[in-house]
């Protein structure tokens, strides 16, 4: 089970639910367009995580070292994120 912690609330991801879908399900205001790692509009800051965050495929969107793409990253354990919009 994956636990997600934000400044707004804490919740767990359902089986096979993306981080983006979990954030949207729990009322977080997250921008997104493609949901496949191409556009980067959903990028958020990763504050900390108990496990390595990886991607099933290399996303095309450019992200900084402390950013993740919740639409396509794979998370496990506990993750702390800043869900506020990142303007690039």
């Amino acid at each position: 089970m994956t636990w997600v912690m934000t400044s707004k609330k804490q919740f767990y991801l359902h089986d096979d639910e993306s981080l983006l879908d979990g954030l949207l399900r729990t009322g977080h205001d997250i921008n997104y367009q493609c949901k496949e790692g191409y556009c980067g509009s959903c990028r958020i800051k990763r504050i900390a995580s108990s496990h390595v965050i990886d991607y099933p495929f290399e996303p095309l969107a450019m992200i900084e070292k402390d950013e993740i793409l919740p639409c396509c990253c794979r998370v496990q354990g506990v993750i702390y994120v800043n869900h506020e919009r990142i303007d690039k």
Side-chain angles (χ1 to χ4, degrees):
M1 179 180 297
T2 299
W3 281 96
V4 180
M5 312 293 181
T6 71
S7 62
K8 189 174 181 180
K9 58 180 72 171
Q10 60 185 3
F11 63 94
Y12 67 91
L13 293 180
H14 294 284
D15 292 339
D16 296 324
E17 182 179 43
S18 73
L19 178 55
L20 175 61
D21 288 337
L23 288 164
L24 293 171
R25 172 177 55 82
T26 56
H28 292 83
D29 183 23
I30 304 291
N31 291 327
Y32 67 93
Q33 290 179 23
C34 72
K35 287 187 147 183
E36 296 185 18
Y38 298 123
C39 70
S41 64
C42 68
R43 80 181 82 232
I44 58 174
K45 295 253 186 206
R46 180 188 62 84
I47 298 169
S49 57
S50 64
H51 291 69
V52 174
I53 296 170
D54 67 348
Y55 294 86
F57 55 88
E58 190 67 30
L60 293 177
M62 301 294 285
I63 56 175
E64 298 293 328
K65 190 173 187 171
D66 63 343
E67 296 174 345
I68 58 173
L69 297 173
C71 68
C72 60
C73 70
R74 290 189 292 207
V75 295
Q76 297 176 347
V78 179
I79 183 169
Y80 295 84
V81 297
N82 180 348
H83 68 284
E84 302 298 321
R85 180 186 169 115
I86 297 174
D87 290 315
K88 293 272 178 172

